[in-house]
């Protein structure tokens, strides 16, 4: 598929959807890259790392899904959603819902 070929060429975060402010978005993108690089063999550990980092930085309760080939439908607080790809294939959804 053409979309898959394009995504494989991205080594930086590719934002699909967000409503975050710039500061929060930058922090979440940087933390996402760190999580995936640090835990490249485990999406579960990457998700836990990212959730803990965001809870510490922005307060709880953050939720994180890391993986490939999934769909989602969620309720979230306004200005607290990010859906992105890191390293081409790994999708991450981050949202806050207290």
């Amino acid at each position: 598929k053409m979309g898959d070929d394009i995504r494989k060429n991205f080594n930086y975060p590719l934002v699909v959807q967000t409503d975050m402010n710039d500061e929060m978005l930058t922090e979440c993108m940087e933390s996402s890259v760190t999580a995936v690089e640090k835990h490249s063999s485990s999406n579960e550990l990457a998700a836990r790392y990212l959730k803990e980092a965001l809870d510490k930085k922005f307060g709880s309760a953050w939720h994180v899904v890391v993986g490939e080939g999934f769909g989602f439908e969620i309720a979230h607080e306004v200005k607290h959603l990010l859906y992105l790809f890191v390293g081409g294939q790994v999708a991450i959804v981050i949202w806050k819902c207290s």
Side-chain angles (χ1 to χ4, degrees):
K1 289 183 240 168
M2 181 151 174
D4 290 342
D5 293 337
I6 291 170
R7 279 204 314 263
K8 283 178 189 169
N9 293 325
F10 287 104
N11 292 324
Y12 53 88
L14 176 64
V15 175
V16 178
Q17 181 181 350
T18 190
D19 65 354
M20 291 181 172
N21 65 48
D22 290 342
E23 179 189 348
M24 186 177 286
L25 176 60
T26 300
E27 181 70 29
C28 287
M29 288 170 60
E30 290 173 357
S31 296
S32 295
V33 170
T34 301
V36 170
E37 288 175 349
K38 193 170 191 173
H39 300 288
S40 59
S41 62
S42 172
N43 291 339
E44 185 178 347
L45 290 176
R48 182 177 299 136
Y49 173 91
L50 191 48
K51 184 221 179 330
E52 289 173 356
L54 295 175
D55 280 350
K56 187 175 180 181
K57 175 83 176 177
F58 298 112
S60 60
W62 287 91
H63 307 276
V64 179
V65 176
V66 178
E68 298 178 29
F70 63 88
F72 67 94
E73 181 64 35
I74 57 169
H76 66 91
E77 293 180 20
V78 176
K79 303 284 187 198
H80 290 84
L81 171 71
L82 174 58
Y83 173 35
L84 75 162
F85 284 90
V86 175
Q89 297 295 345
V90 180
I92 301 177
V93 183
I94 300 167
W95 73 98
K96 188 173 186 179
C97 185
S98 299

